[in-house]
Amino acid sequence: MVEATPTTYEQFGVSWIHRVLHKERILRTVDQVLGDQIALGPIGAGPGRAFASVSFVGTYRPTTGELVPGELLTYAIDLPISVVFDLDLPLDRLTFNAEVVVPLVLEIHTEAPLRLRLELTTPSEDQIGLELKTDTRRGAMLRKVAGLDAELRRFLLKVLDTELTKAYVRKATHLDMEELIDEAWPAFTEQFLPRGPEDRRG
């Protein structure tokens, strides 16, 4: 048995947050919250949002990330998405495939009396990594002439901003620890409370 070392309540609180919300747990939680896919559209695109419409289906890949040193517990997270964009033009429909990496920043905030708030910050458009591919000559030409990469980055950011404001994300990022511990306490007590007379013997 490892010998216990006394610590202050303040030190215990800091250690608890860092140990419970460690990197691997945070990354897997982000994966679980977001699910497998994201979809939106059609939404107007181009001049006046009337030139074309864009539809979007993205498949999330496992997130990666690193701890960012600082006063608050912070993680820089890369969110990879394999995306299919469908662009509906007045006389044609084009499909583009893209590998996207969205850099997110997750900060852990503490709030009274015993709450955790996980704040996710989305990037600017030019911070989104996007490798766009199309199998058609017209698609390749339109990509260059219309600045399609920038348009799709804006569209993607709109999708993510919309998704991160939904109720299920808010529920996962605003945690009442007292409420969660109250709900989990019966499972905790099963680990240490006596289960019968034999457990109370010397």
Side-chain angles (χ1 to χ4, degrees), residues 193-202:
L193 288 180
R195 300 185 182 183
E198 64 280 2
D199 290 338
R200 290 184 169 87
R201 297 173 186 156

mmCIF file of all heavy atoms in Angstrom, residues 193-202:
data_model
loop_
_atom_site.group_PDB
_atom_site.id
_atom_site.type_symbol
_atom_site.label_atom_id
_atom_site.label_comp_id
_atom_site.label_asym_id
_atom_site.label_seq_id
_atom_site.Cartn_x
_atom_site.Cartn_y
_atom_site.Cartn_z
ATOM 1 N N LEU A 193 -18.488 -0.226 1.420
ATOM 2 C CA LEU A 193 -19.386 -0.569 2.520
ATOM 3 C C LEU A 193 -19.438 -2.087 2.730
ATOM 4 O O LEU A 193 -19.361 -2.856 1.769
ATOM 5 C CB LEU A 193 -20.792 -0.047 2.239
ATOM 6 C CG LEU A 193 -20.989 1.469 2.333
ATOM 7 C CD1 LEU A 193 -22.445 1.831 2.019
ATOM 8 C CD2 LEU A 193 -20.595 2.006 3.698
ATOM 9 N N PRO A 194 -19.572 -2.525 3.966
ATOM 10 C CA PRO A 194 -19.705 -3.967 4.225
ATOM 11 C C PRO A 194 -20.940 -4.530 3.532
ATOM 12 O O PRO A 194 -21.989 -3.883 3.508
ATOM 13 C CB PRO A 194 -19.851 -4.037 5.754
ATOM 14 C CG PRO A 194 -19.313 -2.741 6.261
ATOM 15 C CD PRO A 194 -19.597 -1.724 5.199
ATOM 16 N N ARG A 195 -20.824 -5.725 2.995
ATOM 17 C CA ARG A 195 -21.949 -6.345 2.301
ATOM 18 C C ARG A 195 -22.643 -7.404 3.137
ATOM 19 O O ARG A 195 -23.695 -7.923 2.739
ATOM 20 C CB ARG A 195 -21.464 -6.949 0.983
ATOM 21 C CG ARG A 195 -20.863 -5.937 0.049
ATOM 22 C CD ARG A 195 -20.504 -6.527 -1.296
ATOM 23 N NE ARG A 195 -19.889 -5.553 -2.183
ATOM 24 C CZ ARG A 195 -19.535 -5.797 -3.428
ATOM 25 N NH1 ARG A 195 -19.731 -7.010 -3.946
ATOM 26 N NH2 ARG A 195 -18.986 -4.867 -4.164
ATOM 27 N N GLY A 196 -22.046 -7.748 4.258
ATOM 28 C CA GLY A 196 -22.641 -8.737 5.130
ATOM 29 C C GLY A 196 -21.849 -8.878 6.410
ATOM 30 O O GLY A 196 -20.805 -8.219 6.588
ATOM 31 N N PRO A 197 -22.287 -9.705 7.341
ATOM 32 C CA PRO A 197 -21.593 -9.869 8.629
ATOM 33 C C PRO A 197 -20.149 -10.282 8.481
ATOM 34 O O PRO A 197 -19.287 -9.859 9.266
ATOM 35 C CB PRO A 197 -22.422 -10.979 9.322
ATOM 36 C CG PRO A 197 -23.759 -10.912 8.657
ATOM 37 C CD PRO A 197 -23.515 -10.503 7.253
ATOM 38 N N GLU A 198 -19.833 -11.067 7.454
ATOM 39 C CA GLU A 198 -18.435 -11.528 7.290
ATOM 40 C C GLU A 198 -17.500 -10.378 6.993
ATOM 41 O O GLU A 198 -16.305 -10.429 7.314
ATOM 42 C CB GLU A 198 -18.354 -12.581 6.160
ATOM 43 C CG GLU A 198 -18.712 -12.077 4.775
ATOM 44 C CD GLU A 198 -20.190 -11.995 4.512
ATOM 45 O OE1 GLU A 198 -20.998 -12.309 5.440
ATOM 46 O OE2 GLU A 198 -20.582 -11.621 3.395
ATOM 47 N N ASP A 199 -18.002 -9.291 6.373
ATOM 48 C CA ASP A 199 -17.163 -8.149 6.054
ATOM 49 C C ASP A 199 -16.840 -7.311 7.285
ATOM 50 O O ASP A 199 -15.926 -6.465 7.247
ATOM 51 C CB ASP A 199 -17.830 -7.249 5.010
ATOM 52 C CG ASP A 199 -17.898 -7.901 3.631
ATOM 53 O OD1 ASP A 199 -17.096 -8.822 3.396
ATOM 54 O OD2 ASP A 199 -18.754 -7.495 2.824
ATOM 55 N N ARG A 200 -17.575 -7.530 8.382
ATOM 56 C CA ARG A 200 -17.365 -6.728 9.604
ATOM 57 C C ARG A 200 -16.451 -7.442 10.597
ATOM 58 O O ARG A 200 -16.176 -6.934 11.669
ATOM 59 C CB ARG A 200 -18.724 -6.431 10.260
ATOM 60 C CG ARG A 200 -19.581 -5.454 9.448
ATOM 61 C CD ARG A 200 -20.876 -5.116 10.195
ATOM 62 N NE ARG A 200 -21.568 -4.008 9.585
ATOM 63 C CZ ARG A 200 -22.449 -4.123 8.578
ATOM 64 N NH1 ARG A 200 -22.727 -5.346 8.104
ATOM 65 N NH2 ARG A 200 -23.033 -3.065 8.050
ATOM 66 N N ARG A 201 -15.992 -8.586 10.238
ATOM 67 C CA ARG A 201 -15.088 -9.319 11.137
ATOM 68 C C ARG A 201 -13.690 -8.786 11.014
ATOM 69 O O ARG A 201 -13.217 -8.509 9.919
ATOM 70 C CB ARG A 201 -15.107 -10.815 10.817
ATOM 71 C CG ARG A 201 -16.462 -11.457 11.038
ATOM 72 C CD ARG A 201 -16.479 -12.890 10.558
ATOM 73 N NE ARG A 201 -17.832 -13.440 10.663
ATOM 74 C CZ ARG A 201 -18.270 -14.457 9.933
ATOM 75 N NH1 ARG A 201 -17.465 -15.026 9.042
ATOM 76 N NH2 ARG A 201 -19.499 -14.901 10.072
ATOM 77 N N GLY A 202 -13.000 -8.661 12.219
ATOM 78 C CA GLY A 202 -11.613 -8.237 12.320
ATOM 79 C C GLY A 202 -10.960 -8.061 11.017
ATOM 80 O O GLY A 202 -9.941 -7.566 10.794
#
